[in-house]
Amino acid sequence: MTYCVGMLLQEGLVMASDSRTNAGVDDFARFCKMTTFEQPSDRVIVLLSSGSLAGTQAVVSLLKQRASRNDAPATLWTAQTLFDVALLVSDAMREIEHRDAPSLEGSALTFNASFILGGQIKGEAPRLFRIYAEGNFIEASEDTPFLQTGEAKYGKPIIDRVITPTTTMADATKCVLVSFDSTMRSNLSVGMPIDLICYERGSLAIHHRRRFHDGDPYFSALSTGWSAGVRQAFRGLPVLEWEEPIHPGGEAS
């Protein structure tokens, strides 16, 4: 399992993914699930992957291979819009699934790969998509400014309460990391390192990228501060005032 999240803000994009994979309770490994394609002054494309590692790596490798060829009819470097990029990713997913499906059926497995796609191509605003395992996808909007995939339920409540399109990238970054902290506390299949990108609208280049490892001082301070703040807020909540007890005869004492 994994956890990936992307946020579409007025200031730009915030995207993050964990790095833990597992094939059983005693078989954990680390693989980066964030892939970037950058052509300064023209385009920035970020892919976050979730699902079967074999499936997601095959899709990413196919996209990279086609992007390196001059005779390919359409690639990540020639796509005119990020919607076109989403179509390329979707087509690659379906191609890999079609290739692998017969073999997977023999072992009772299914193709399982999904992506969060974000970025900006010159001439249009930043965009954010979630691409499902079936190859169909949805796009973030002002009403839904963030998208998640993988083990999303534990990190969603804090994002629901904080994130709007006008949230600053600084606040969104804190919110993303708190959502990862909450997820890792509740689910062992999500773990460090965490890869984070903050992309500024119109920059057409990645200037802020960071990887958080176990024991990272900032992440540890954020986690400690959030836990203390939650406990303080909890203690400040009003106490439930019970009604006077009702006796069997129906009268209050």
Side-chain angles (χ1 to χ4, degrees):
M1 187 56 74
T2 189
Y3 176 42
C4 302
V5 59
M7 297 177 176
L8 179 65
L9 312 169
Q10 290 181 2
E11 291 185 2
L13 293 163
V14 176
M15 302 180 69
S17 59
D18 83 318
S19 300
R20 176 168 290 186
T21 64
N22 69 290
V25 295
D26 59 350
D27 188 7
F28 286 91
R30 293 180 177 181
F31 288 90
C32 181
K33 301 168 189 174
M34 175 182 287
T35 306
T36 59
F37 301 87
E38 185 179 4
Q39 211 167 56
S41 301
D42 181 65
R43 66 192 58 206
V44 166
I45 299 169
V46 182
L47 270 179
L48 309 179
S49 58
S50 171
S52 164
L53 186 62
T56 57
Q57 285 190 342
V59 171
V60 171
S61 294
L62 184 60
L63 291 168
K64 287 181 175 179
Q65 180 175 292
R66 289 176 174 170
S68 67
R69 291 169 46 189
N70 295 326
D71 59 342
T75 72
L76 300 180
W77 304 127
T78 61
Q80 297 298 303
T81 68
L82 210 69
F83 179 85
D84 294 332
V85 174
L87 290 175
L88 291 174
V89 176
S90 175
D91 289 344
M93 293 169 65
R94 287 169 173 160
E95 184 172 336
I96 296 297
E97 180 180 18
H98 179 74
R99 184 199 70 181
D100 293 347
S103 299
L104 292 175
E105 287 176 0
S107 59
L109 298 175
T110 58
F111 178 80
N112 178 25
S114 61
F115 295 88
I116 291 180
L117 164 68
Q120 184 175 17
I121 294 177
K122 187 177 181 179
E124 67 172 3
R127 301 174 77 174
L128 182 70
F129 297 84
R130 179 183 174 185
I131 307 175
Y132 296 94
E134 295 77 13
N136 57 331
F137 50 84
I138 60 173
E139 183 172 5
S141 65
E142 285 198 3
D143 291 328
T144 306
F146 70 91
L147 299 172
Q148 300 168 285
T149 187
E151 192 57 75
K153 58 182 177 291
Y154 300 107
K156 190 173 186 293
I158 174 62
I159 300 177
D160 278 333
R161 290 180 180 272
V162 172
I163 297 300
T164 69
T166 59
T167 303
T168 65
M169 291 182 71
D171 283 346
T173 299
K174 289 188 291 185
C175 183
V176 162
L177 294 175
V178 168
S179 79
F180 272 88
D181 179 61
S182 299
T183 301
M184 290 188 296
R185 282 176 176 268
S186 300
N187 191 299
L188 292 176
S189 68
V190 177
M192 296 283 202
I194 298 170
D195 291 297
L196 172 72
I197 278 181
C198 292
Y199 169 76
E200 298 168 333
R201 176 184 292 261
S203 63
L204 294 175
I206 298 174
H207 298 301
H208 302 291
R209 179 171 184 171
R210 181 167 170 180
R211 169 167 273 208
F212 296 86
H213 292 275
D214 289 318
D216 181 272
Y218 176 78
F219 189 89
S220 297
L222 195 75
S223 175
T224 300
W226 175 250
S227 296
V230 169
R231 287 192 290 268
Q232 181 177 353
F234 178 79
R235 288 193 293 267
L237 293 175
V239 176
L240 175 63
E241 298 292 341
W242 295 95
E243 295 179 357
E244 293 187 28
I246 303 297
H247 292 298
E251 297 181 356
S253 57

